[in-house]
């Protein structure tokens, strides 16, 4: 990274949130992402639910060593909305392709309430453990990989 004339070396991964579309007035979604090296594999996860459930289309998938696996199944996000710091479970509904436990260690909350426009998001930073299964049938173990998960409710 460059900051003025300074060069700052670092190793890491990033996530870009880029959305284009027409959003309904009322919205709800869960979203989770993580990336890192696990068991010698470079892994990236993008997991979502809520707003696309039952449509047959979603943005879910993961990358293992540069190879993308599409998750066609909807995901269940199981968590306690009265206590977002309790562990979350994220699993595919019809298959065992994704089975992850997410253990938060930090919560960021952002709220906007302007009468007709409202947004509340709970963004949790934590660690994922469990597995994902590639299209080739290889089960990839994940152990305490740092990432995040969120719940977002909006009127806009």
């Amino acid at each position: 990274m460059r900051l003025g004339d300074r060069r700052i070396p670092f190793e890491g991964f990033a996530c870009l949130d880029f959305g284009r579309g027409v959003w309904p007035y009322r919205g709800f979604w869960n979203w989770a992402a993580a990336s890192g090296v696990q068991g010698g594999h470079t892994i990236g996860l993008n997991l979502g639910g809520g707003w696309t459930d039952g449509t047959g289309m979603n943005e879910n998938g993961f990358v293992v060593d540069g190879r993308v696996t599409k998750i066609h199944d909807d995901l269940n996000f199981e968590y306690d909305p009265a206590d977002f710091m309790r562990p979350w479970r994220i699993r595919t509904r019809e298959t065992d392709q994704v089975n992850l436990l997410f253990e938060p260690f930090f919560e960021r909350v952002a709220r906007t309430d302007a009468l007709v426009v409202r947004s509340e998001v709970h963004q949790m930073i934590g660690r994922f453990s469990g597995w994902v299964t590639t299209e080739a049938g290889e089960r990839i173990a994940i152990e305490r990989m740092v990432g995040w998960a969120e719940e977002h409710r909006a009127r806009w």
Side-chain angles (χ1 to χ4, degrees), residues 113-135:
D113 193 348
L115 299 176
V116 295
V117 175
R118 184 172 193 279
S119 173
E120 182 171 330
V121 63
H122 293 262
Q123 295 172 319
M124 314 305 295
I125 309 301
R127 297 186 184 278
F128 287 89
S129 297
W131 73 79
V132 294
T133 305
T134 68
E135 288 180 0

mmCIF file with all atom_site columns, all heavy atoms in Angstrom, residues 113-135:
data_model
loop_
_atom_site.group_PDB
_atom_site.id
_atom_site.type_symbol
_atom_site.label_atom_id
_atom_site.label_alt_id
_atom_site.label_comp_id
_atom_site.label_asym_id
_atom_site.label_entity_id
_atom_site.label_seq_id
_atom_site.pdbx_PDB_ins_code
_atom_site.Cartn_x
_atom_site.Cartn_y
_atom_site.Cartn_z
_atom_site.occupancy
_atom_site.B_iso_or_equiv
_atom_site.pdbx_formal_charge
_atom_site.auth_seq_id
_atom_site.auth_comp_id
_atom_site.auth_asym_id
_atom_site.auth_atom_id
_atom_site.pdbx_PDB_model_num
ATOM 1   N N   . ASP A 1 113 ? -32.583 6.524   11.278  1.00 0.00 ? 113 ASP A N   1
ATOM 2   C CA  . ASP A 1 113 ? -34.041 6.544   11.354  1.00 0.00 ? 113 ASP A CA  1
ATOM 3   C C   . ASP A 1 113 ? -34.515 7.947   10.991  1.00 0.00 ? 113 ASP A C   1
ATOM 4   O O   . ASP A 1 113 ? -34.464 8.856   11.813  1.00 0.00 ? 113 ASP A O   1
ATOM 5   C CB  . ASP A 1 113 ? -34.531 6.153   12.742  1.00 0.00 ? 113 ASP A CB  1
ATOM 6   C CG  . ASP A 1 113 ? -36.026 5.867   12.759  1.00 0.00 ? 113 ASP A CG  1
ATOM 7   O OD1 . ASP A 1 113 ? -36.721 6.180   11.766  1.00 0.00 ? 113 ASP A OD1 1
ATOM 8   O OD2 . ASP A 1 113 ? -36.507 5.331   13.766  1.00 0.00 ? 113 ASP A OD2 1
ATOM 9   N N   . ALA A 1 114 ? -34.920 8.102   9.730   1.00 0.00 ? 114 ALA A N   1
ATOM 10  C CA  . ALA A 1 114 ? -35.418 9.383   9.233   1.00 0.00 ? 114 ALA A CA  1
ATOM 11  C C   . ALA A 1 114 ? -36.874 9.223   8.801   1.00 0.00 ? 114 ALA A C   1
ATOM 12  O O   . ALA A 1 114 ? -37.256 9.570   7.689   1.00 0.00 ? 114 ALA A O   1
ATOM 13  C CB  . ALA A 1 114 ? -34.555 9.881   8.085   1.00 0.00 ? 114 ALA A CB  1
ATOM 14  N N   . LEU A 1 115 ? -37.671 8.626   9.674   1.00 0.00 ? 115 LEU A N   1
ATOM 15  C CA  . LEU A 1 115 ? -39.094 8.378   9.474   1.00 0.00 ? 115 LEU A CA  1
ATOM 16  C C   . LEU A 1 115 ? -39.366 7.420   8.311   1.00 0.00 ? 115 LEU A C   1
ATOM 17  O O   . LEU A 1 115 ? -39.582 6.253   8.531   1.00 0.00 ? 115 LEU A O   1
ATOM 18  C CB  . LEU A 1 115 ? -39.875 9.676   9.337   1.00 0.00 ? 115 LEU A CB  1
ATOM 19  C CG  . LEU A 1 115 ? -39.796 10.605  10.566  1.00 0.00 ? 115 LEU A CG  1
ATOM 20  C CD1 . LEU A 1 115 ? -40.521 11.905  10.303  1.00 0.00 ? 115 LEU A CD1 1
ATOM 21  C CD2 . LEU A 1 115 ? -40.348 9.924   11.801  1.00 0.00 ? 115 LEU A CD2 1
ATOM 22  N N   . VAL A 1 116 ? -39.375 7.895   7.083   1.00 0.00 ? 116 VAL A N   1
ATOM 23  C CA  . VAL A 1 116 ? -39.687 7.005   5.965   1.00 0.00 ? 116 VAL A CA  1
ATOM 24  C C   . VAL A 1 116 ? -38.471 6.197   5.503   1.00 0.00 ? 116 VAL A C   1
ATOM 25  O O   . VAL A 1 116 ? -38.611 5.192   4.832   1.00 0.00 ? 116 VAL A O   1
ATOM 26  C CB  . VAL A 1 116 ? -40.299 7.765   4.761   1.00 0.00 ? 116 VAL A CB  1
ATOM 27  C CG1 . VAL A 1 116 ? -41.643 8.353   5.137   1.00 0.00 ? 116 VAL A CG1 1
ATOM 28  C CG2 . VAL A 1 116 ? -39.364 8.820   4.240   1.00 0.00 ? 116 VAL A CG2 1
ATOM 29  N N   . VAL A 1 117 ? -37.290 6.657   5.848   1.00 0.00 ? 117 VAL A N   1
ATOM 30  C CA  . VAL A 1 117 ? -36.051 5.950   5.521   1.00 0.00 ? 117 VAL A CA  1
ATOM 31  C C   . VAL A 1 117 ? -35.447 5.443   6.823   1.00 0.00 ? 117 VAL A C   1
ATOM 32  O O   . VAL A 1 117 ? -35.242 6.216   7.759   1.00 0.00 ? 117 VAL A O   1
ATOM 33  C CB  . VAL A 1 117 ? -35.047 6.867   4.793   1.00 0.00 ? 117 VAL A CB  1
ATOM 34  C CG1 . VAL A 1 117 ? -33.729 6.150   4.569   1.00 0.00 ? 117 VAL A CG1 1
ATOM 35  C CG2 . VAL A 1 117 ? -35.634 7.373   3.483   1.00 0.00 ? 117 VAL A CG2 1
ATOM 36  N N   . ARG A 1 118 ? -35.197 4.151   6.855   1.00 0.00 ? 118 ARG A N   1
ATOM 37  C CA  . ARG A 1 118 ? -34.668 3.550   8.075   1.00 0.00 ? 118 ARG A CA  1
ATOM 38  C C   . ARG A 1 118 ? -33.715 2.424   7.700   1.00 0.00 ? 118 ARG A C   1
ATOM 39  O O   . ARG A 1 118 ? -33.957 1.687   6.753   1.00 0.00 ? 118 ARG A O   1
ATOM 40  C CB  . ARG A 1 118 ? -35.804 2.982   8.923   1.00 0.00 ? 118 ARG A CB  1
ATOM 41  C CG  . ARG A 1 118 ? -35.357 2.421   10.233  1.00 0.00 ? 118 ARG A CG  1
ATOM 42  C CD  . ARG A 1 118 ? -36.561 2.049   11.105  1.00 0.00 ? 118 ARG A CD  1
ATOM 43  N NE  . ARG A 1 118 ? -36.139 1.792   12.460  1.00 0.00 ? 118 ARG A NE  1
ATOM 44  C CZ  . ARG A 1 118 ? -35.606 0.646   12.874  1.00 0.00 ? 118 ARG A CZ  1
ATOM 45  N NH1 . ARG A 1 118 ? -35.437 -0.348  12.042  1.00 0.00 ? 118 ARG A NH1 1
ATOM 46  N NH2 . ARG A 1 118 ? -35.242 0.497   14.126  1.00 0.00 ? 118 ARG A NH2 1
ATOM 47  N N   . SER A 1 119 ? -32.627 2.304   8.448   1.00 0.00 ? 119 SER A N   1
ATOM 48  C CA  . SER A 1 119 ? -31.670 1.228   8.227   1.00 0.00 ? 119 SER A CA  1
ATOM 49  C C   . SER A 1 119 ? -31.061 0.850   9.565   1.00 0.00 ? 119 SER A C   1
ATOM 50  O O   . SER A 1 119 ? -30.736 1.725   10.369  1.00 0.00 ? 119 SER A O   1
ATOM 51  C CB  . SER A 1 119 ? -30.568 1.688   7.264   1.00 0.00 ? 119 SER A CB  1
ATOM 52  O OG  . SER A 1 119 ? -29.550 0.707   7.177   1.00 0.00 ? 119 SER A OG  1
ATOM 53  N N   . GLU A 1 120 ? -30.941 -0.443  9.810   1.00 0.00 ? 120 GLU A N   1
ATOM 54  C CA  . GLU A 1 120 ? -30.236 -0.926  10.987  1.00 0.00 ? 120 GLU A CA  1
ATOM 55  C C   . GLU A 1 120 ? -29.432 -2.147  10.577  1.00 0.00 ? 120 GLU A C   1
ATOM 56  O O   . GLU A 1 120 ? -29.975 -3.109  10.038  1.00 0.00 ? 120 GLU A O   1
ATOM 57  C CB  . GLU A 1 120 ? -31.193 -1.298  12.113  1.00 0.00 ? 120 GLU A CB  1
ATOM 58  C CG  . GLU A 1 120 ? -30.453 -1.756  13.357  1.00 0.00 ? 120 GLU A CG  1
ATOM 59  C CD  . GLU A 1 120 ? -31.348 -1.916  14.565  1.00 0.00 ? 120 GLU A CD  1
ATOM 60  O OE1 . GLU A 1 120 ? -32.367 -1.189  14.664  1.00 0.00 ? 120 GLU A OE1 1
ATOM 61  O OE2 . GLU A 1 120 ? -31.035 -2.764  15.413  1.00 0.00 ? 120 GLU A OE2 1
ATOM 62  N N   . VAL A 1 121 ? -28.132 -2.076  10.805  1.00 0.00 ? 121 VAL A N   1
ATOM 63  C CA  . VAL A 1 121 ? -27.254 -3.180  10.455  1.00 0.00 ? 121 VAL A CA  1
ATOM 64  C C   . VAL A 1 121 ? -26.397 -3.556  11.657  1.00 0.00 ? 121 VAL A C   1
ATOM 65  O O   . VAL A 1 121 ? -25.899 -2.686  12.362  1.00 0.00 ? 121 VAL A O   1
ATOM 66  C CB  . VAL A 1 121 ? -26.381 -2.851  9.209   1.00 0.00 ? 121 VAL A CB  1
ATOM 67  C CG1 . VAL A 1 121 ? -25.445 -1.690  9.455   1.00 0.00 ? 121 VAL A CG1 1
ATOM 68  C CG2 . VAL A 1 121 ? -25.614 -4.075  8.749   1.00 0.00 ? 121 VAL A CG2 1
ATOM 69  N N   . HIS A 1 122 ? -26.319 -4.856  11.885  1.00 0.00 ? 122 HIS A N   1
ATOM 70  C CA  . HIS A 1 122 ? -25.435 -5.417  12.911  1.00 0.00 ? 122 HIS A CA  1
ATOM 71  C C   . HIS A 1 122 ? -24.354 -6.181  12.154  1.00 0.00 ? 122 HIS A C   1
ATOM 72  O O   . HIS A 1 122 ? -24.639 -7.224  11.551  1.00 0.00 ? 122 HIS A O   1
ATOM 73  C CB  . HIS A 1 122 ? -26.202 -6.351  13.851  1.00 0.00 ? 122 HIS A CB  1
ATOM 74  C CG  . HIS A 1 122 ? -27.205 -5.625  14.676  1.00 0.00 ? 122 HIS A CG  1
ATOM 75  N ND1 . HIS A 1 122 ? -26.948 -5.233  15.966  1.00 0.00 ? 122 HIS A ND1 1
ATOM 76  C CD2 . HIS A 1 122 ? -28.454 -5.194  14.385  1.00 0.00 ? 122 HIS A CD2 1
ATOM 77  C CE1 . HIS A 1 122 ? -28.003 -4.603  16.448  1.00 0.00 ? 122 HIS A CE1 1
ATOM 78  N NE2 . HIS A 1 122 ? -28.931 -4.562  15.495  1.00 0.00 ? 122 HIS A NE2 1
ATOM 79  N N   . GLN A 1 123 ? -23.151 -5.636  12.160  1.00 0.00 ? 123 GLN A N   1
ATOM 80  C CA  . GLN A 1 123 ? -22.022 -6.263  11.473  1.00 0.00 ? 123 GLN A CA  1
ATOM 81  C C   . GLN A 1 123 ? -21.109 -6.874  12.526  1.00 0.00 ? 123 GLN A C   1
ATOM 82  O O   . GLN A 1 123 ? -20.572 -6.168  13.377  1.00 0.00 ? 123 GLN A O   1
ATOM 83  C CB  . GLN A 1 123 ? -21.267 -5.239  10.630  1.00 0.00 ? 123 GLN A CB  1
ATOM 84  C CG  . GLN A 1 123 ? -22.126 -4.706  9.501   1.00 0.00 ? 123 GLN A CG  1
ATOM 85  C CD  . GLN A 1 123 ? -21.483 -3.563  8.763   1.00 0.00 ? 123 GLN A CD  1
ATOM 86  O OE1 . GLN A 1 123 ? -20.871 -2.687  9.351   1.00 0.00 ? 123 GLN A OE1 1
ATOM 87  N NE2 . GLN A 1 123 ? -21.631 -3.574  7.447   1.00 0.00 ? 123 GLN A NE2 1
ATOM 88  N N   . MET A 1 124 ? -20.967 -8.183  12.436  1.00 0.00 ? 124 MET A N   1
ATOM 89  C CA  . MET A 1 124 ? -20.220 -8.937  13.426  1.00 0.00 ? 124 MET A CA  1
ATOM 90  C C   . MET A 1 124 ? -18.890 -9.389  12.833  1.00 0.00 ? 124 MET A C   1
ATOM 91  O O   . MET A 1 124 ? -18.855 -9.917  11.725  1.00 0.00 ? 124 MET A O   1
ATOM 92  C CB  . MET A 1 124 ? -21.020 -10.169 13.857  1.00 0.00 ? 124 MET A CB  1
ATOM 93  C CG  . MET A 1 124 ? -22.488 -9.900  14.163  1.00 0.00 ? 124 MET A CG  1
ATOM 94  S SD  . MET A 1 124 ? -22.752 -8.621  15.386  1.00 0.00 ? 124 MET A SD  1
ATOM 95  C CE  . MET A 1 124 ? -22.034 -9.405  16.812  1.00 0.00 ? 124 MET A CE  1
ATOM 96  N N   . ILE A 1 125 ? -17.819 -9.201  13.569  1.00 0.00 ? 125 ILE A N   1
ATOM 97  C CA  . ILE A 1 125 ? -16.512 -9.714  13.179  1.00 0.00 ? 125 ILE A CA  1
ATOM 98  C C   . ILE A 1 125 ? -16.259 -10.939 14.056  1.00 0.00 ? 125 ILE A C   1
ATOM 99  O O   . ILE A 1 125 ? -16.521 -10.913 15.264  1.00 0.00 ? 125 ILE A O   1
ATOM 100 C CB  . ILE A 1 125 ? -15.394 -8.672  13.408  1.00 0.00 ? 125 ILE A CB  1
ATOM 101 C CG1 . ILE A 1 125 ? -15.755 -7.333  12.779  1.00 0.00 ? 125 ILE A CG1 1
ATOM 102 C CG2 . ILE A 1 125 ? -14.061 -9.210  12.898  1.00 0.00 ? 125 ILE A CG2 1
ATOM 103 C CD1 . ILE A 1 125 ? -15.993 -7.356  11.305  1.00 0.00 ? 125 ILE A CD1 1
ATOM 104 N N   . GLY A 1 126 ? -15.778 -12.012 13.436  1.00 0.00 ? 126 GLY A N   1
ATOM 105 C CA  . GLY A 1 126 ? -15.582 -13.228 14.213  1.00 0.00 ? 126 GLY A CA  1
ATOM 106 C C   . GLY A 1 126 ? -14.811 -14.281 13.442  1.00 0.00 ? 126 GLY A C   1
ATOM 107 O O   . GLY A 1 126 ? -14.143 -13.986 12.452  1.00 0.00 ? 126 GLY A O   1
ATOM 108 N N   . ARG A 1 127 ? -14.959 -15.530 13.882  1.00 0.00 ? 127 ARG A N   1
ATOM 109 C CA  . ARG A 1 127 ? -14.218 -16.650 13.296  1.00 0.00 ? 127 ARG A CA  1
ATOM 110 C C   . ARG A 1 127 ? -15.184 -17.734 12.813  1.00 0.00 ? 127 ARG A C   1
ATOM 111 O O   . ARG A 1 127 ? -16.123 -18.082 13.516  1.00 0.00 ? 127 ARG A O   1
ATOM 112 C CB  . ARG A 1 127 ? -13.262 -17.236 14.319  1.00 0.00 ? 127 ARG A CB  1
ATOM 113 C CG  . ARG A 1 127 ? -12.207 -16.241 14.767  1.00 0.00 ? 127 ARG A CG  1
ATOM 114 C CD  . ARG A 1 127 ? -11.177 -16.890 15.682  1.00 0.00 ? 127 ARG A CD  1
ATOM 115 N NE  . ARG A 1 127 ? -10.238 -15.917 16.183  1.00 0.00 ? 127 ARG A NE  1
ATOM 116 C CZ  . ARG A 1 127 ? -9.177  -15.474 15.523  1.00 0.00 ? 127 ARG A CZ  1
ATOM 117 N NH1 . ARG A 1 127 ? -8.923  -15.935 14.312  1.00 0.00 ? 127 ARG A NH1 1
ATOM 118 N NH2 . ARG A 1 127 ? -8.368  -14.587 16.057  1.00 0.00 ? 127 ARG A NH2 1
ATOM 119 N N   . PHE A 1 128 ? -14.898 -18.253 11.610  1.00 0.00 ? 128 PHE A N   1
ATOM 120 C CA  . PHE A 1 128 ? -15.677 -19.328 11.017  1.00 0.00 ? 128 PHE A CA  1
ATOM 121 C C   . PHE A 1 128 ? -14.963 -20.660 11.219  1.00 0.00 ? 128 PHE A C   1
ATOM 122 O O   . PHE A 1 128 ? -13.748 -20.749 11.036  1.00 0.00 ? 128 PHE A O   1
ATOM 123 C CB  . PHE A 1 128 ? -15.830 -19.108 9.506   1.00 0.00 ? 128 PHE A CB  1
ATOM 124 C CG  . PHE A 1 128 ? -16.766 -17.999 9.129   1.00 0.00 ? 128 PHE A CG  1
ATOM 125 C CD1 . PHE A 1 128 ? -16.302 -16.700 8.991   1.00 0.00 ? 128 PHE A CD1 1
ATOM 126 C CD2 . PHE A 1 128 ? -18.101 -18.262 8.905   1.00 0.00 ? 128 PHE A CD2 1
ATOM 127 C CE1 . PHE A 1 128 ? -17.165 -15.680 8.632   1.00 0.00 ? 128 PHE A CE1 1
ATOM 128 C CE2 . PHE A 1 128 ? -18.978 -17.251 8.542   1.00 0.00 ? 128 PHE A CE2 1
ATOM 129 C CZ  . PHE A 1 128 ? -18.504 -15.957 8.413   1.00 0.00 ? 128 PHE A CZ  1
ATOM 130 N N   . SER A 1 129 ? -15.729 -21.691 11.561  1.00 0.00 ? 129 SER A N   1
ATOM 131 C CA  . SER A 1 129 ? -15.223 -23.064 11.630  1.00 0.00 ? 129 SER A CA  1
ATOM 132 C C   . SER A 1 129 ? -16.275 -23.978 11.025  1.00 0.00 ? 129 SER A C   1
ATOM 133 O O   . SER A 1 129 ? -17.471 -23.709 11.125  1.00 0.00 ? 129 SER A O   1
ATOM 134 C CB  . SER A 1 129 ? -14.965 -23.483 13.082  1.00 0.00 ? 129 SER A CB  1
ATOM 135 O OG  . SER A 1 129 ? -13.957 -22.683 13.658  1.00 0.00 ? 129 SER A OG  1
ATOM 136 N N   . GLY A 1 130 ? -15.830 -25.063 10.411  1.00 0.00 ? 130 GLY A N   1
ATOM 137 C CA  . GLY A 1 130 ? -16.753 -26.024 9.799   1.00 0.00 ? 130 GLY A CA  1
ATOM 138 C C   . GLY A 1 130 ? -16.202 -26.494 8.482   1.00 0.00 ? 130 GLY A C   1
ATOM 139 O O   . GLY A 1 130 ? -15.008 -26.798 8.376   1.00 0.00 ? 130 GLY A O   1
ATOM 140 N N   . TRP A 1 131 ? -17.077 -26.531 7.448   1.00 0.00 ? 131 TRP A N   1
ATOM 141 C CA  . TRP A 1 131 ? -16.606 -26.975 6.140   1.00 0.00 ? 131 TRP A CA  1
ATOM 142 C C   . TRP A 1 131 ? -17.470 -26.423 5.025   1.00 0.00 ? 131 TRP A C   1
ATOM 143 O O   . TRP A 1 131 ? -18.610 -26.008 5.223   1.00 0.00 ? 131 TRP A O   1
ATOM 144 C CB  . TRP A 1 131 ? -16.566 -28.492 6.038   1.00 0.00 ? 131 TRP A CB  1
ATOM 145 C CG  . TRP A 1 131 ? -17.915 -29.152 5.917   1.00 0.00 ? 131 TRP A CG  1
ATOM 146 C CD1 . TRP A 1 131 ? -18.684 -29.253 4.790   1.00 0.00 ? 131 TRP A CD1 1
ATOM 147 C CD2 . TRP A 1 131 ? -18.663 -29.779 6.948   1.00 0.00 ? 131 TRP A CD2 1
ATOM 148 N NE1 . TRP A 1 131 ? -19.860 -29.910 5.065   1.00 0.00 ? 131 TRP A NE1 1
ATOM 149 C CE2 . TRP A 1 131 ? -19.865 -30.255 6.388   1.00 0.00 ? 131 TRP A CE2 1
ATOM 150 C CE3 . TRP A 1 131 ? -18.425 -30.008 8.296   1.00 0.00 ? 131 TRP A CE3 1
ATOM 151 C CZ2 . TRP A 1 131 ? -20.825 -30.924 7.128   1.00 0.00 ? 131 TRP A CZ2 1
ATOM 152 C CZ3 . TRP A 1 131 ? -19.381 -30.670 9.035   1.00 0.00 ? 131 TRP A CZ3 1
ATOM 153 C CH2 . TRP A 1 131 ? -20.569 -31.121 8.447   1.00 0.00 ? 131 TRP A CH2 1
ATOM 154 N N   . VAL A 1 132 ? -16.863 -26.456 3.833   1.00 0.00 ? 132 VAL A N   1
ATOM 155 C CA  . VAL A 1 132 ? -17.560 -26.236 2.572   1.00 0.00 ? 132 VAL A CA  1
ATOM 156 C C   . VAL A 1 132 ? -17.151 -27.389 1.657   1.00 0.00 ? 132 VAL A C   1
ATOM 157 O O   . VAL A 1 132 ? -16.071 -27.959 1.800   1.00 0.00 ? 132 VAL A O   1
ATOM 158 C CB  . VAL A 1 132 ? -17.224 -24.870 1.926   1.00 0.00 ? 132 VAL A CB  1
ATOM 159 C CG1 . VAL A 1 132 ? -17.731 -23.729 2.788   1.00 0.00 ? 132 VAL A CG1 1
ATOM 160 C CG2 . VAL A 1 132 ? -15.731 -24.725 1.672   1.00 0.00 ? 132 VAL A CG2 1
ATOM 161 N N   . THR A 1 133 ? -18.037 -27.756 0.740   1.00 0.00 ? 133 THR A N   1
ATOM 162 C CA  . THR A 1 133 ? -17.759 -28.859 -0.176  1.00 0.00 ? 133 THR A CA  1
ATOM 163 C C   . THR A 1 133 ? -17.761 -28.334 -1.603  1.00 0.00 ? 133 THR A C   1
ATOM 164 O O   . THR A 1 133 ? -18.736 -27.716 -2.039  1.00 0.00 ? 133 THR A O   1
ATOM 165 C CB  . THR A 1 133 ? -18.806 -29.984 -0.019  1.00 0.00 ? 133 THR A CB  1
ATOM 166 O OG1 . THR A 1 133 ? -18.838 -30.396 1.349   1.00 0.00 ? 133 THR A OG1 1
ATOM 167 C CG2 . THR A 1 133 ? -18.466 -31.172 -0.892  1.00 0.00 ? 133 THR A CG2 1
ATOM 168 N N   . THR A 1 134 ? -16.684 -28.581 -2.327  1.00 0.00 ? 134 THR A N   1
ATOM 169 C CA  . THR A 1 134 ? -16.553 -28.103 -3.705  1.00 0.00 ? 134 THR A CA  1
ATOM 170 C C   . THR A 1 134 ? -17.470 -28.886 -4.640  1.00 0.00 ? 134 THR A C   1
ATOM 171 O O   . THR A 1 134 ? -17.985 -29.948 -4.277  1.00 0.00 ? 134 THR A O   1
ATOM 172 C CB  . THR A 1 134 ? -15.102 -28.239 -4.206  1.00 0.00 ? 134 THR A CB  1
ATOM 173 O OG1 . THR A 1 134 ? -14.795 -29.626 -4.329  1.00 0.00 ? 134 THR A OG1 1
ATOM 174 C CG2 . THR A 1 134 ? -14.115 -27.554 -3.276  1.00 0.00 ? 134 THR A CG2 1
ATOM 175 N N   . GLU A 1 135 ? -17.633 -28.389 -5.866  1.00 0.00 ? 135 GLU A N   1
ATOM 176 C CA  . GLU A 1 135 ? -18.432 -29.106 -6.874  1.00 0.00 ? 135 GLU A CA  1
ATOM 177 C C   . GLU A 1 135 ? -17.829 -30.465 -7.188  1.00 0.00 ? 135 GLU A C   1
ATOM 178 O O   . GLU A 1 135 ? -18.543 -31.391 -7.571  1.00 0.00 ? 135 GLU A O   1
ATOM 179 C CB  . GLU A 1 135 ? -18.566 -28.268 -8.138  1.00 0.00 ? 135 GLU A CB  1
ATOM 180 C CG  . GLU A 1 135 ? -19.498 -27.089 -7.943  1.00 0.00 ? 135 GLU A CG  1
ATOM 181 C CD  . GLU A 1 135 ? -19.651 -26.238 -9.182  1.00 0.00 ? 135 GLU A CD  1
ATOM 182 O OE1 . GLU A 1 135 ? -19.032 -26.541 -10.231 1.00 0.00 ? 135 GLU A OE1 1
ATOM 183 O OE2 . GLU A 1 135 ? -20.393 -25.255 -9.101  1.00 0.00 ? 135 GLU A OE2 1
#
